Amino acid sequence: MQKKSQKKLELNYSAKVIDIVQFGSSVIAGKIPNDIDIAVIFQKIPLKEQLEESQKIKVQLETYFDKPIHINSCDLYSLFDKGNFAKDSIMFYGKSLISGKYFSEMFGMCPGLQISYSLARLEKKGKVRFNYLLNGKAGNYGMLREYKGKLLNPGLIEVYPEYEKLFVDALSQITTEIRANKIFRMIE
């Protein structure tokens, strides 16, 4: 994951910009991105103005990132259009470069990934390895503490979306009986 996205960047942009969102493989821990996907979300303004403003933002972002920047410009209406193939990634993985929060929080929702698993077919050694992976061993942090995950119930954990690949890959090395579900929680 590109570490720059964790800090608020100092960008100049017009008041017509609702948010600037980083999404795609560059926000997912454990992935090696080829580029940085950025969505610039505008109020309802003409497309020409969107493109001009997006290019100004792209030039600024190029000073922060060492990968090519791919800009996706849209207003809120076109963001949710069924033809916008990036909308799922923007809503679930997208992080605001303005606020540092998940973009979906703007709509009162916080994304999460629930991973269910079964240890029933594992021998005791496999169950112990699984426990150490999640909870740690001998003073070392486990994945849950290191990545701020939660054990909801035996057989069910919840993690932040950007850690999906890390958890699924690590858990899959011990048991094949896992399933990941994307969820949104309402923010109170």
Side-chain angles (χ1 to χ4, degrees), residues 132 135-143 145:
Y132 288 158
N135 300 309
K137 175 183 177 185
N140 294 323
Y141 292 155
M143 289 186 77
R145 184 168 178 186

Side-chain angles (χ1 to χ4, degrees), residues 10-57:
E10 293 182 26
L11 301 171
N12 294 315
Y13 51 89
S14 90
K16 296 174 183 176
V17 172
I18 295 172
D19 210 342
I20 302 168
V21 182
Q22 183 179 355
F23 68 101
S25 61
S26 66
V27 295
I28 300 174
K31 287 201 172 186
I32 300 170
N34 295 325
D35 63 2
I36 308 297
D37 293 307
I38 302 290
V40 182
I41 314 297
F42 291 94
Q43 296 174 13
K44 188 74 174 159
I45 61 172
L47 182 59
K48 182 179 178 184
E49 286 182 48
Q50 287 182 23
L51 296 175
E52 289 170 354
E53 183 69 24
S54 292
Q55 287 308 306
K56 291 176 188 175
I57 292 168

Side-chain angles (χ1 to χ4, degrees), residues 99-110:
S99 70
K101 297 179 180 180
Y102 287 104
F103 175 66
S104 59
E105 289 184 39
M106 180 180 285
F107 303 99
M109 302 180 299
C110 187

Side-chain angles (χ1 to χ4, degrees), residues 1 18 45-46 52 54 72 83 103 107 123-124 134-135 142 154 157 161 164 167 170:
M1 177 165 60
I18 295 172
I45 61 172
E52 289 170 354
S54 292
N72 181 336
F103 175 66
F107 303 99
E123 296 178 10
K124 183 177 180 180
L134 291 182
N135 300 309
I157 61 175
E164 175 180 8
F167 273 85

Side-chain angles (χ1 to χ4, degrees), residues 60-80:
Q60 294 175 65
L61 289 171
E62 287 171 339
T63 64
Y64 289 102
F65 296 100
D66 59 354
K67 304 262 186 211
I69 307 289
H70 177 254
I71 295 277
N72 181 336
S73 303
C74 59
D75 57 32
L76 282 175
Y77 180 79
S78 60
L79 172 65
F80 293 107

